[in-house]
Amino acid sequence: MSIEISNSIKYIGESVHDLDLFESQYIVPNGMAYNSYVIIDDKIAVMDTADKIVGDKWLENLKNALEGRTPDYLVIQHLEPDHSALIENVCNIYPDMKIVCSAKAKAMMPQFADVQADRIIAKAEGETLELGSHTLNFVMAPMVHWPEVMVSYESSEKVLFSADAFGKFGALDADEGWSCEARRYYFNIVGKYGAPVQTLLKKASQLDIKTICPLHGPILTDTIEDVIKLYNTWSSYQPEDEGVFIAYASIHGNTAKAAEKMKEILEAKGCKRVAIADLSRDDIAECVEDAFRHSTLLCMASSYDGGVFAPMSDFIHHLQSKTFQNRKVAFVENGSWAPTAAKTMKAEFEKMKNITFVGDVVTIKTRVTDENIAQMEKLADELVK
C-alpha cells in the first residue's frame, strides 16, 4: 500500500487482513497494519522495515517510492521482529545504506540481523540527522515497550515517528474508530510500562506535533490532542470511565446467572456504566482492556480445587502482569460445599498497588437465593457510591 503523507514523506507499509493471531496471542478480527515510511530529500531515510509476512510487498512498496533512487539511511526505532524482519534483505539490496538506531539497538542488532557494525550509526538523546530540508531529531523512549526504542521527530513538517506508541490493532483500511482497538492494544502490549510512557509523553509535550506516524494503525492528525489525553490517562493507571466491569468465571451456569442479575441490579441503581464478560469464552485481551477502563472491577467466580476456577485465575494473572492498580475491587463467590474463590482472588489482588476492596463478599452455594439477591443489592449500593 502506498500512501502519500506529504510531498516528501511516503507510507510504504502493508496490512494483513487474515492474520490468525498477532504475537501468537491476540485476535485481530480486522487484521493488522505493519507501518513503515520513507522520507525523500537530498538524502533518503527509510523509517523501519516490517514483518516478514509482508516482506515481498514491503520491498515492492519501497522500490516504487524510491523511483530509482537509493536510500542513504535505514532508521530503526524498534527491533521487535514485526518491524525488523527485513533489515538484512534491504541492507543486501542497498549495500551503501547506513543504519541509524539507538546505542542499545546497535548492541542488540546481532540478535536480529547480520549487519556489519561499521554500517551502524548509534544516536543519543537530542542528536539529529540532516537529510536536506528535513531534519530528524532523536528522542530515546526505553521500555516503550522494549529497551532499545527511540522515536524520531521530523522538525520541518512536524511529524513524530512514534514506534509502537499510539498504535492499534486493525488493518489500515479497517472501518472502525481509533480508541477501542488502541485501548486493547495499549493495555495488553504496552500497559505494564506506564512510567516510561509518562516520560515519553513529557518529552512529546515539548514538541509541536502535527502528524503522528506509528508502526501500527492509522496516521494521526486532527485527533492528536485526544489521543495524547487518553495515553496520559492509560499510562497513569487512572480509570477512563466511572463504572463497573463484571468479570465472571462460571462452571455450570449458576455464577453466570448471578452475574447477569448483578448487572441488572447495578443498572437499576443508576450505575453510569456496566460492562460484563464471560472469562471462559470472551477474548482475554478485551477483558484486560475493560478492567483497566473502568473504575471498579467485580470478580464473580466459582471455587475450584481449593482455589478459584481457572479462567478467573488466568485473568487475574494477566492483570498482575500488566501492573493493574488504582481500582476498586469486589467479589462474589460460588461454592457448593467449600467456598474458596473469594479468599483466593483477594490474596492475588493484595499483591497489586492501590487496590481498594469494596463491600462484603457475597457467597453463593450453588444456586442464587433470595438472600443472595439481597446481599447483591447491598453490595451494589457500595459499588455505586
Side-chain angles (χ1 to χ4, degrees):
M1 180 181 291
S2 181
I3 298 172
E4 187 172 291
I5 297 166
S6 72
N7 289 334
S8 302
I9 303 176
K10 318 292 183 183
Y11 177 88
I12 57 169
E14 197 67 35
S15 289
V16 175
H17 296 86
D18 58 353
L19 188 65
D20 61 341
L21 292 172
F22 179 69
E23 291 190 352
S24 296
Q25 59 181 318
Y26 301 113
I27 62 170
V28 281
N30 290 323
M32 198 69 192
Y34 298 94
N35 297 343
S36 176
Y37 311 87
V38 61
I39 303 172
I40 308 291
D41 205 325
D42 295 339
K43 292 185 179 297
I44 295 174
V46 180
M47 308 302 290
D48 293 291
T49 67
D51 193 284
K52 62 185 178 182
I53 62 175
V54 297
D56 291 342
K57 284 295 298 179
W58 183 83
L59 289 168
E60 180 184 343
N61 292 345
L62 173 60
K63 181 180 178 181
N64 291 339
L66 292 173
E67 295 182 336
R69 293 184 62 184
T70 299
D72 298 277
Y73 304 105
L74 170 61
V75 179
I76 301 296
Q77 298 176 110
H78 184 21
L79 274 173
E80 198 167 3
D82 57 328
H83 307 298
S84 67
L86 306 174
I87 292 175
E88 276 191 36
N89 303 62
V90 73
C91 282
N92 290 335
I93 295 169
Y94 304 107
D96 295 327
M97 181 186 68
K98 297 291 187 181
I99 293 177
V100 179
C101 61
S102 68
K104 183 67 174 177
K106 181 176 181 179
M108 294 172 64
M109 189 67 71
Q111 301 170 221
F112 298 89
D114 185 11
V115 178
Q116 291 178 317
D118 60 4
R119 292 186 69 170
I120 303 175
I121 303 169
K123 291 290 186 177
E125 181 79 31
E127 292 187 340
T128 61
L129 181 67
E130 300 291 339
L131 303 176
S133 62
H134 294 76
T135 301
L136 288 173
N137 302 263
F138 298 110
V139 178
M140 299 301 115
M143 299 318 302
V144 186
H145 58 122
W146 275 29
E148 87 301 351
V149 174
M150 70 179 187
V151 301
S152 308
Y153 176 67
E154 200 295 297
S155 51
S156 70
E157 298 198 54
K158 302 178 180 179
V159 178
L160 180 67
F161 296 91
S162 63
D164 268 350
F166 310 115
K168 66 179 282 292
F169 295 124
L172 211 62
D173 57 358
D175 185 15
E176 61 188 7
W178 181 85
S179 61
C180 184
E181 285 292 61
R183 184 187 301 108
R184 187 166 73 98
Y185 176 92
Y186 175 85
F187 283 118
N188 287 279
I189 293 181
V190 188
K192 181 180 179 68
Y193 305 105
V197 173
Q198 283 281 299
T199 298
L200 177 58
L201 289 176
K202 289 182 176 68
K203 294 178 181 180
S205 70
Q206 305 303 309
L207 304 173
D208 182 12
I209 302 170
K210 300 300 183 186
T211 304
I212 295 177
C213 292
L215 288 177
H216 296 294
I219 291 91
L220 303 170
T221 52
D222 56 346
T223 61
I224 289 174
E225 184 178 353
D226 292 335
V227 164
I228 289 177
K229 283 181 180 178
L230 279 174
Y231 252 65
N232 186 54
T233 298
W234 297 344
S235 59
S236 58
Y237 299 101
Q238 298 304 313
E240 185 181 339
D241 290 311
E242 286 294 322
V244 179
F245 173 49
I246 303 171
Y248 72 86
S250 181
I251 301 173
H252 299 294
N254 292 305
T255 306
K257 289 180 181 178
E260 292 292 346
K261 182 62 178 179
M262 194 68 193
K263 181 176 185 290
E264 178 185 314
I265 291 170
L266 285 165
E267 289 173 338
K269 291 182 179 294
C271 187
K272 294 178 182 179
R273 179 183 171 89
V274 184
I276 189 168
D278 178 354
L279 298 176
S280 297
R281 293 169 176 83
D282 293 336
D283 172 30
I284 191 67
E286 190 165 339
C287 295
V288 169
E289 171 201 345
D290 274 327
F292 275 97
R293 179 174 185 170
H294 295 85
S295 57
T296 302
L297 172 62
L298 174 56
C299 293
M300 304 181 64
S302 304
S303 302
Y304 198 84
D305 284 345
V308 66
F309 190 36
M312 178 62 75
S313 179
D314 185 43
F315 170 63
I316 296 173
H317 172 74
H318 275 76
L319 296 182
Q320 287 176 329
S321 69
K322 303 305 178 184
T323 327
F324 187 73
Q325 58 188 276
N326 299 334
R327 298 297 190 277
K328 294 186 289 184
V329 177
F331 305 108
V332 175
E333 65 177 354
N334 193 340
S336 297
W337 45 274
T340 55
K343 180 181 177 181
T344 304
M345 291 186 288
K346 186 177 182 182
E348 295 304 315
F349 280 101
E350 285 174 340
K351 300 174 185 177
M352 306 181 208
K353 289 176 59 178
N354 300 325
I355 299 297
T356 301
F357 298 111
V358 180
D360 295 328
V361 172
V362 177
T363 298
I364 299 166
K365 292 191 174 181
T366 308
R367 294 187 297 176
V368 177
T369 65
D370 289 343
E371 181 182 1
N372 292 145
I373 291 174
Q375 292 167 337
M376 289 192 292
E377 293 270 1
K378 183 179 178 182
L379 177 59
D381 288 335
E382 293 294 318
L383 297 179
V384 298
K385 278 184 179 178

